Amino acid sequence: MRWEGTSLKEATGRNFVEGGDRNKHLRRRQATFAFTSFVKHGTVCIHAALEEGCEGERWIGYVDWRGRPALRRKHGGMAAASFVLVVEIMENLAFLANASNLVTYLDGFMYFSPARSATTVTNFMGTAFLLALLGGFLSDAFFTTYVIYLISALIEFSGLIILTIQARSPSLKPPPCASAALASCQEATGGKAAMLFIGLYLTALGIGGIKGSLPAHGAEQLDETTPEGRKQRSTFFNYFVFCLSCGGLIAVTFVVWVEDNKGWQWGFAISTFTILLSIPTFLSGSLLYRNKLPNGSPLTVIAKVFLAAIFNSSSTQSQSNVVVDLFTTPINTNEAAKQTDDQSALQSKELKFLNRAVNCNPAHKALICSHKEVEEVKMVVKILPIFLLTIMLNCCLAQLSTFSVQQAATMDTRVGGLTVPPASLPIFPVIFIMALAPLYDHVIIPMVRKLTRTETGITHLQRIGIGLVLSIVAMVTAALVEVKRKRVAENSGLVDSIEPLPISFFWVALQYLFLGSADLFTLAGLLEFFFTEAPAGMRSLATSLSWVSLAMGYYLSSVLVSIVNRATRHGGRQAWLEGRNLNHYHLERFYWLMCGLSAVNFGHYLFWAIRYKYRSKEERLNFERLNYG
């Protein structure tokens, strides 16, 4: 179903004749316009009734949870967005409780090698974040973010149920193995491995749907047509990362402690209960939510514009044809003149090759494009380099869940009389993010706004750039700490021992601190950047690119490990990242390699960021008007 440029009257299919006493009489009456459709076979169902004269009181293009028009006085705002923030605490608690410690479970209970454990974790997390693209696509194309969240939470719940059952049943895991004889331990295979991966990837599917819908759902509650609304949206994304960290704090302290001391079945059970509890919490805000109407498949529009730009003939269209084809929905004579003016305003000078989609004779009627569609595709293409250049940072972040945890596991994790689980190391960046996010939003940004006299203070791309620099610093720190750790192992004669090394795990906390800071700047910046710069009908899909960048970073980490091992396994020598003993790894060389790659990546980022031209407020409002009439 197509909604752009369609008024409520047109959507109902009713005809209204203007002028004359009869219409004058009709305008004085209260009329109810009902438009009906249903959620079936990918078609959105909306039942709504609207009294004449109240269009200024409703959110154009939005409905409430029952499909009725969303009203300005009742729906949206920070009160509605606050429910999303609470749900994010629960969602990330359920996710990070397992992801941060999963490498320990795979290594100590499923008896995977350290390298395979690390690869399995990065593949699981990468898949979860990559599937955010599916959640965002479905939210934009066929359903609402409201519906996608509920479906995804139930899918994640089913995956966690499977993992809980397996962790609780000894018969569904490999037989126990003495830690002193790890080389002879029986790795999980066959049905046991199948059950593990089914549970993991059902969980990943649910996580992906949530990541692709929840941030956009919260941001959609805020009015971008006013300066106050835009500031609230910036605050929302800052506190979204803050709440994400709150859930992470509980996960890496309490839940990880339960997993290590009471059993993994209890850790999985806590995650299962938490994601289940998030569903009624989310539903409790239903009366306040405004839900954006889906606009049809954004991928179809992108494909059509590119194909039209490639195959359309070079003969220029006549002016009359341009007006006729400006929008695919029917328009009346009065609107034609206004939309002809919009034509010149919409056609930008960037990515001129895409203008062939409207400036040339269509090769086929299916390739007829509007100027609005072409400009929307240009918006998406422009943000892609920024997306691609954040992947390397997320490759660095992947080390927090893999090799960094394994490093800490070889070190002294005692703090006074308390032994800290290695998987609780993320507590350091989490606490720092929780302290920095409110400071950034309420102190730093207001000060910078006064200095720069701009609405945003620090631009989105500047914020992302700061995160990229911090990731380089983190990799330098990680390499130096690993050199020190291995030197201590050699000097203590504990290279081949399983005893903890006489060096505090606080040294590893340094790389966590820098990478956590990088995550705060980059993730919040990316979420807001993609949501703000993307077309209204593609925002969920664009926002999910923030998570897809994380996915590609985790996959890149796995690929780099494989490439490095293949390249360094020669002459009978052991590869840099191979074997069961981390003390024999050349992990410091791997970190130096990532540092160099990150520095090159940052140089490319500067090239594209300096040349990027932000959309003006007028452009955004113009596209909003063209989308929803």
Side-chain angles (χ1 to χ4, degrees):
M1 181 174 293
R2 187 175 182 83
W3 296 96
E4 304 101 88
T6 305
S7 69
L8 182 64
K9 294 179 181 179
E10 290 169 334
T12 60
R14 295 173 181 257
N15 296 318
F16 289 82
V17 181
E18 296 184 0
D21 293 337
R22 181 167 177 266
N23 280 339
K24 186 175 181 181
H25 174 69
L26 289 173
R27 285 196 297 272
R28 289 172 179 167
R29 295 176 51 194
Q30 278 191 326
T32 301
F33 303 109
F35 60 101
T36 305
S37 109
F38 50 91
V39 180
K40 184 176 181 181
H41 304 301
T43 304
V44 174
C45 295
I46 299 161
H47 298 274
L50 176 62
E51 289 189 353
E52 182 181 6
C54 72
E55 290 215 3
E57 296 297 322
R58 67 185 180 97
W59 295 108
I60 305 300
Y62 291 87
V63 293
D64 68 5
W65 71 284
R66 296 178 65 181
R68 299 174 303 188
L71 304 178
R72 289 181 177 272
R73 65 179 183 273
K74 183 178 180 182
H75 302 105
M78 282 302 294
S82 64
F83 284 94
V84 173
L85 297 177
V86 174
V87 169
E88 177 56 25
I89 295 175
M90 299 179 181
E91 182 274 327
N92 204 49
L93 189 161
F95 170 50
L96 199 58
N98 302 315
S100 64
N101 203 23
L102 185 60
V103 69
T104 304
Y105 180 68
L106 297 175
D107 185 48
F109 294 89
M110 295 295 169
Y111 304 120
F112 289 179
S113 68
R116 188 184 178 193
S117 297
T119 301
T120 301
V121 172
T122 52
N123 288 344
F124 162 70
M125 298 184 73
T127 301
F129 290 127
L130 184 62
L131 287 169
L133 202 61
L134 176 63
F137 168 76
L138 293 175
S139 298
D140 283 334
F142 305 115
F143 304 99
T144 62
T145 51
Y146 179 89
V147 171
I148 293 299
Y149 173 81
L150 294 174
I151 295 173
S152 301
L154 289 173
I155 293 174
E156 183 177 354
F157 173 73
S158 64
L160 288 170
I161 284 285
I162 294 174
L163 293 174
T164 304
I165 292 172
Q166 183 175 39
R168 192 175 186 276
S169 304
S171 61
L172 300 176
K173 295 182 294 185
C177 181
S179 59
L182 290 176
S184 62
C185 294
Q186 180 182 340
E187 184 177 299
T189 57
K192 297 170 184 176
M195 185 174 185
L196 171 68
F197 287 111
I198 289 172
L200 284 177
Y201 285 98
L202 268 179
T203 303
L205 177 61
I207 292 167
I210 292 173
K211 298 294 186 187
S213 59
L214 194 60
H217 182 74
E220 284 168 0
Q221 307 308 314
L222 306 169
D223 183 9
E224 73 168 346
T225 63
T226 65
E228 183 61 27
R230 290 189 290 272
K231 289 179 181 178
Q232 287 179 340
R233 186 177 60 196
S234 180
T235 296
F236 167 78
F237 282 117
N238 285 329
Y239 274 95
F240 184 86
V241 177
F242 173 84
C243 292
L244 183 145
S245 300
C246 287
L249 178 63
I250 301 171
V252 301
T253 52
F254 173 68
V255 182
V256 166
W257 181 88
V258 169
E259 290 168 344
D260 288 346
N261 293 275
K262 301 298 181 181
W264 270 85
Q265 68 273 23
W266 292 107
F268 283 130
I270 291 172
S271 297
T272 305
F273 175 76
T274 302
I275 200 64
L276 181 62
L277 183 62
S278 74
I279 296 175
T281 303
F282 180 80
L283 288 173
S284 64
S286 296
L287 295 178
L288 298 178
Y289 296 147
R290 61 172 191 158
N291 302 300
K292 181 171 65 68
L293 292 169
N295 287 320
S297 172
L299 298 182
T300 301
V301 174
I302 293 171
K304 182 177 72 170
V305 169
F306 271 97
L307 289 174
I310 294 171
F311 294 111
N312 283 0
S313 62
S314 58
S315 300
T316 304
Q317 287 181 308
S318 67
Q319 182 65 24
S320 60
N321 286 337
V322 170
V323 175
V324 170
D325 296 334
L326 186 59
F327 298 102
T328 57
T329 52
I331 57 177
N332 61 37
T333 307
N334 294 330
E335 290 174 329
K338 179 181 69 174
Q339 291 173 349
T340 304
D341 293 335
D342 290 334
Q343 169 191 330
S344 59
L346 285 177
Q347 188 162 353
S348 66
K349 297 180 180 179
E350 300 171 301
L351 300 169
K352 290 183 179 179
F353 75 95
L354 290 178
N355 292 340
R356 285 174 49 84
V358 287
N359 292 343
C360 299
N361 290 325
H364 189 273
K365 64 180 181 179
L367 297 182
I368 297 176
C369 302
S370 70
H371 282 268
K372 181 179 71 67
E373 288 174 332
V374 171
E375 292 306 311
E376 286 180 339
V377 173
K378 287 184 181 182
M379 295 174 202
V380 174
V381 173
K382 283 171 56 183
I383 65 178
L384 288 180
I386 304 302
F387 154 70
L388 294 172
L389 291 168
T390 57
I391 292 174
M392 191 62 218
L393 176 142
N394 291 309
C395 180
C396 297
L397 284 173
Q399 310 316 309
L400 297 183
S401 302
T402 55
F403 289 123
S404 294
V405 174
Q406 294 171 334
Q407 281 178 286
T410 68
M411 303 165 78
D412 184 2
T413 60
R414 292 174 297 176
V415 179
L418 178 66
T419 299
V420 179
S424 292
L425 272 174
I427 190 175
F428 295 103
V430 163
I431 292 176
F432 185 74
I433 288 172
M434 291 176 65
L436 183 59
L439 181 68
Y440 178 86
D441 191 72
H442 298 294
V443 178
I444 297 176
I445 286 300
M447 290 176 59
V448 176
R449 281 173 179 155
K450 290 180 180 179
L451 291 174
T452 61
R453 295 181 179 179
T454 60
E455 189 176 287
T456 58
I458 298 174
T459 67
H460 306 141
L461 294 180
Q462 288 171 343
R463 187 171 183 177
I464 296 168
I466 292 171
L468 294 178
V469 171
L470 288 171
S471 71
I472 298 173
V473 176
M475 287 297 97
V476 172
T477 304
L480 294 175
V481 168
E482 177 62 7
V483 169
K484 181 177 179 63
R485 190 193 69 83
K486 290 181 66 175
R487 186 179 294 124
V488 169
E490 293 171 359
N491 294 339
S492 304
L494 298 174
V495 173
D496 295 311
S497 174
I498 61 172
E499 295 181 20
L501 302 177
I503 177 175
S504 174
F505 77 117
F506 279 108
W507 285 97
V508 177
L510 291 174
Q511 63 212 53
Y512 275 80
L513 186 63
F514 285 116
L515 282 173
S517 305
D519 194 23
L520 169 64
F521 280 96
T522 304
L523 181 57
L526 274 177
L527 287 168
E528 187 173 1
F529 173 71
F530 288 145
F531 187 89
T532 303
E533 294 298 303
M538 302 182 187
R539 280 179 170 167
S540 297
L541 184 67
T543 305
S544 67
L545 289 177
S546 305
W547 308 112
V548 174
S549 176
L550 275 168
M552 301 306 292
Y554 279 101
Y555 283 132
L556 179 59
S557 176
S558 297
V559 170
L560 281 177
V561 169
S562 299
I563 292 175
V564 165
N565 280 342
R566 184 173 298 179
T568 57
R569 189 188 299 113
H570 57 81
R573 295 182 179 179
Q574 183 173 302
W576 285 4
L577 307 172
E578 194 172 59
R580 293 200 62 87
N581 191 331
L582 196 68
N583 294 330
H584 291 295
Y585 280 34
H586 291 291
L587 191 56
E588 73 285 355
R589 298 179 187 176
F590 180 66
Y591 285 152
W592 284 122
L593 173 65
M594 295 189 70
C595 178
L597 292 174
S598 297
V600 173
N601 180 76
F602 179 67
H604 285 132
Y605 175 81
L606 286 178
F607 174 84
W608 290 100
I610 290 172
R611 286 161 177 76
Y612 187 86
K613 182 180 178 182
Y614 289 94
R615 294 171 59 200
S616 67
K617 293 187 287 290
E618 290 74 17
E619 287 176 318
R620 296 192 200 107
L621 293 177
N622 193 24
F623 273 95
E624 283 288 327
R625 178 173 60 81
L626 292 174
N627 267 324
Y628 299 113

